[in-house]
Amino acid sequence: MMDEVAGCRSENLTDAEVELSKLLLTLNAFCALDRDIIQVIADGSRIINYEAGDTIYSHGEFDGEYLIGVLSGHVRAVANAQMVGDIEVSEYSVGDTIGLLPLIAQRKSVALPIAVTSMQNCQIVFLESSILLTLLENDIRFSSAIATFSALNALRNPVEYDAESEAERR
């Protein structure tokens, strides 16, 4: 795996591989990455087109194996919330990734939300989490770019802390 990172094979790419690499650069988390790193990620990725209302992912389908990137369209994810019995609904659009920040934080493959559904026709890329974990552990360029993305994302979307609600949960 790391041989691929160190020695890029970019001069022998097919048109489809070049196109996939370009699409991966549209994801917010990957827009600052070098072409050779993008190609390593692309090698473990697959793109699928969905129509509005299609189920993209259901719990248990491929837990921890892939992350989801939105290349076009709009999707809704339903997940368990911190309170037992509650659900949390999040919406994602072009450039967003689902499952990347937990992967970074925990340094291991994590389960995706309960379900992800397309809200309109969309194009989704499934990113192999094991490749991303290997890059996190072994490639300083990737680790730095993802750390920067994570920090900027936290600044844009600060988590609200409510001490009273936290006390009730305990």
Side-chain angles (χ1 to χ4, degrees), residues 3-166:
D3 292 338
E4 291 177 304
V5 174
C8 176
R9 59 180 193 83
S10 60
E11 53 283 334
N12 299 324
L13 299 178
T14 66
D15 289 343
E17 290 170 325
V18 169
E19 187 60 28
L20 176 56
S21 294
K22 287 179 184 176
L23 287 171
L24 287 175
L25 285 169
T26 66
L27 296 175
N28 299 330
F30 301 152
C31 66
L33 295 176
D34 295 334
R35 185 174 55 180
D36 59 330
I37 296 173
I38 286 293
Q39 186 52 49
V40 171
I41 296 168
D43 286 344
S45 301
R46 60 187 171 106
I47 294 177
I48 299 178
N49 295 313
Y50 292 93
E51 294 183 10
D54 284 352
T55 299
I56 296 167
Y57 166 81
S58 293
H59 182 70
E61 241 178 293
F62 47 77
D63 284 345
E65 293 178 42
Y66 294 94
L67 304 181
I68 296 173
V70 182
L71 299 174
S72 69
H74 191 81
V75 303
R76 177 175 290 149
V78 177
N80 286 323
Q82 290 183 354
M83 296 288 289
V84 175
D86 286 348
I87 62 167
E88 181 179 313
V89 177
S90 302
E91 294 189 2
Y92 299 89
S93 57
V94 176
D96 291 336
T97 50
I98 303 170
L100 181 61
L101 294 176
L103 180 79
I104 294 165
Q106 296 180 25
R107 298 285 181 163
K108 64 178 183 176
S109 298
V110 294
L112 290 169
I114 296 169
V116 178
T117 306
S118 60
M119 303 303 295
Q120 56 186 203
N121 292 351
C122 61
Q123 188 173 53
I124 299 297
V125 62
F126 291 90
L127 306 157
E128 196 172 311
S129 59
S130 63
I131 290 174
L132 299 176
L133 285 169
T134 300
L135 286 167
L136 275 171
E137 295 296 324
N138 298 300
D139 193 298
I140 190 68
R141 299 168 301 161
F142 181 76
S143 298
S144 296
I146 295 300
T148 300
F149 165 76
S150 181
L152 290 173
N153 191 60
L155 289 173
R156 283 190 207 111
N157 304 306
V159 176
E160 291 183 26
Y161 178 75
D162 182 357
E164 189 173 309
S165 293
E166 184 64 28

